[in-house]
Amino acid sequence: MFFIDTITQEGLGNRSYLAGGERIAVVVDPPRDVDRVLAAATLRGVRITHVVETHIHNDYVTGGLELARITGAAYLVPAGARVSFARTAVADGDTVDIDTGLTLVAVATPGHTPHHTTYVLSEAGSPVAAFTGGSLLIGTVGRPDLVEPRLTEQLARAQHASARRLADSLPDETPVLPTHGFGSFCSSAQADGDATTIGKERITNAALTVDADTFVADLLAGLEDVPAYYAYMGPINTAGPAPVDLTPPAPADPDEIGARLAAGEWVVDLRSRMAFAEGHVAGSFNFEADGKLATYLAWMIPWGRPVTLLAESAEQLAAAQRELVRVGIDRPVAAATGGPGDWLRDGESAASFPRSTFAGLAGQDTDRIVVLDVRRDSERAAGWIAGSVHIPVHQLHRRVGEVPDGTVWVHCAGGMRAGIAASLLDAAGRRAVAVDDGFDAAAEAGLAVVTA
């Protein structure tokens, strides 16, 4: 009998897998914090003999090299990936014995990257799972524009062909186990559901239901901005990531927090957006620990800028630090726990700003305020508040000067990104109101919503 355990990276929207039999296991696309993988293997009572990568990742730092070093496992990387470390190069059709009756077969599935490889797990010769990485996802495919702009259309066509190769070679009941698609921006669209099979994808996935020209045109038309930190993930993974250091950062007192703010460094408050709005250190930014912390902080912070973390507890700080190492933000320069009363210097007062709803916005004189929409382009295209200004949240820190004068009522689709944006505006000295509400409530509140 075989098993497959899923190891989630919820903040980044990715999954890794531990699969094997009674004694031996393989790990597919491991996260950088490999202690989670080792704990899962210990729980199963298996030895990890192989670590495999479907591709060189653009959205997170891999733990593959470190996991292979710790366990002594063979490290399998697609042969076409140019890397700077020793590994076992994998080519189309290569087979690896995992445990008694269990084999892993490499299937070339270019598209997400030129070297992308899917791994099919078989038991007694029958396929039981396909680890599809960034190739065939749930209802979609991995985006083809992360390698080189001149290759994007070629890779989009390769995605179509690769998806069909998998569908033509695997039984309908074969589970499809992708790495991306659960919130990752490596996916060309977000997964509709939590699990799928080859048979389900035959019916629902555009790569398998429309012709190549239509598929490519639609795929390319739907691509959105690439998170800025993706530019650094590939090179880190190609060079071979350093081992993770999760020891606590140096503690910061109020004087140091103030000095770091004065030096132009980023001080990030990890508390909830509600707590931050009620009171915070002036000049700090709010990226909720329970939100998509790694994605949005790594997307927006100038790469390499020192960051100090403020958390309500040591547990919150440790969880945030773990999430950030997954995207290469390895060592916060300092940290503090508690609340504003612990972080402010004598004589300083906490800054704050109000929160409201779309009903509250509907009661305002829109001629006297600014309505700022920080959603992505595709979200806004589906409908926007008449007269609103649009700057996606990941661009706002560079474009604050473009926001018109006046009190800024900032909204997104649900509240989290509005909280980030309000903190950026507040730090820039602007009067902000965070609309903490679902966008569907805008029309219900009587606001004029424009649709294309």
Side-chain angles (χ1 to χ4, degrees):
M1 291 294 293
F2 70 94
F3 73 87
I4 300 174
D5 290 340
T6 301
I7 300 166
T8 61
Q9 300 179 61
E10 291 184 3
L12 294 176
N14 288 321
R15 292 179 176 179
S16 305
Y17 302 94
L18 174 74
E22 292 184 0
R23 299 172 294 106
I24 304 299
V26 59
V27 180
V28 181
D29 290 345
R32 194 176 183 198
D33 46 331
V34 297
D35 56 324
R36 300 172 63 217
V37 181
L38 295 170
T42 298
L43 191 63
R44 284 285 185 179
V46 293
R47 180 167 60 92
I48 297 170
T49 58
H50 295 82
V51 177
V52 304
E53 303 281 8
T54 59
H55 61 294
I56 298 299
H57 306 283
N58 287 291
D59 64 331
Y60 70 94
V61 180
T62 180
L65 185 63
E66 177 68 358
L67 184 61
R69 184 191 67 79
I70 291 173
T71 62
Y75 189 27
L76 279 57
V77 179
R82 296 182 178 180
V83 296
S84 302
F85 48 83
R87 93 290 196 201
T88 300
V90 178
D92 184 49
D94 285 354
T95 300
V96 176
D97 292 327
I98 301 302
D99 206 332
T100 304
L102 283 179
T103 58
L104 201 66
V105 180
V107 180
T109 48
H112 186 47
T113 66
H115 61 266
H116 190 282
T117 300
T118 290
Y119 298 90
V120 176
L121 182 68
S122 295
E123 183 181 42
S126 298
V128 293
F131 300 103
T132 56
S135 181
L136 187 64
L137 311 184
I138 300 178
T140 185
V141 295
R143 59 193 298 169
D145 61 329
L146 302 179
V147 177
E148 159 61 52
R150 292 171 294 181
L151 295 178
T152 297
E153 182 173 349
Q154 174 186 331
L155 289 176
R157 292 188 178 278
Q159 279 289 47
H160 187 267
S162 292
R164 293 187 171 226
R165 182 186 185 192
L166 291 173
D168 290 344
S169 62
L170 295 172
D172 279 355
E173 63 272 16
T174 308
V176 174
L177 303 178
T179 300
H180 304 314
F182 309 95
S184 167
F185 283 89
C186 267
S187 174
S188 59
Q190 295 314 306
D192 182 15
D194 194 56
T196 193
T197 63
I198 289 291
K200 290 179 182 177
E201 293 307 304
R202 286 186 198 278
I203 300 170
T204 61
N205 198 307
L208 303 176
T209 59
V210 302
D211 64 89
D213 288 343
T214 301
F215 170 79
V216 170
D218 290 346
L219 178 62
L220 298 186
L223 295 174
E224 296 195 80
D225 289 351
V226 176
Y229 70 92
Y230 279 26
Y232 304 95
M233 299 299 97
I236 291 173
N237 287 328
T238 298
V244 170
D245 180 0
L246 291 175
T247 57
D253 62 19
D255 286 335
E256 182 174 1
I257 293 169
R260 292 192 176 280
L261 282 168
E265 297 181 8
W266 279 39
V267 175
V268 173
D269 190 325
L270 301 168
R271 296 175 301 145
S272 74
R273 57 185 183 267
M274 290 74 76
F276 184 87
E278 288 180 5
H280 56 269
V281 177
S284 63
F285 302 140
N286 181 218
F287 290 81
E288 293 179 293
D290 292 335
K292 296 180 81 62
L293 167 66
T295 294
Y296 283 103
L297 179 56
W299 195 338
M300 296 167 68
I301 189 171
W303 193 255
R305 182 73 59 87
V307 60
T308 296
L309 300 179
L310 306 180
E312 62 186 6
S313 67
E315 292 75 19
Q316 185 181 68
L317 175 62
Q321 192 176 349
R322 177 179 290 271
E323 188 166 353
L324 291 176
V325 298
R326 297 171 184 163
V327 292
I329 301 178
D330 281 17
R331 295 297 302 162
V333 293
T337 57
D342 303 300
W343 307 330
L344 293 166
R345 290 176 288 201
D346 291 342
E348 287 183 329
S349 299
S352 64
F353 54 78
R355 297 167 52 246
S356 190
T357 62
F358 283 110
L361 175 58
Q364 300 297 308
D365 181 353
T366 54
D367 292 333
R368 300 174 64 87
I369 63 170
V370 178
V371 179
L372 177 62
D373 180 349
V374 296
R375 296 174 300 159
R376 295 190 301 276
D377 291 345
S378 62
E379 295 172 288
R380 184 170 172 88
W384 64 91
I385 296 172
S388 61
V389 176
H390 180 226
I391 302 177
V393 69
H394 60 272
Q395 299 176 12
L396 183 59
H397 63 299
R398 293 181 280 105
R399 299 176 59 188
V400 168
E402 299 177 27
V403 180
D405 293 338
T407 299
V408 184
W409 286 63
V410 58
H411 79 85
C412 58
M416 181 196 75
R417 287 171 292 173
I420 295 173
S423 76
L424 296 173
L425 291 163
D426 179 76
R430 298 297 302 272
R431 296 188 304 277
V433 179
V435 178
D436 199 345
D437 204 354
F439 187 71
D440 289 345
E444 296 172 4
L447 292 162
V449 176
V450 181
T451 55

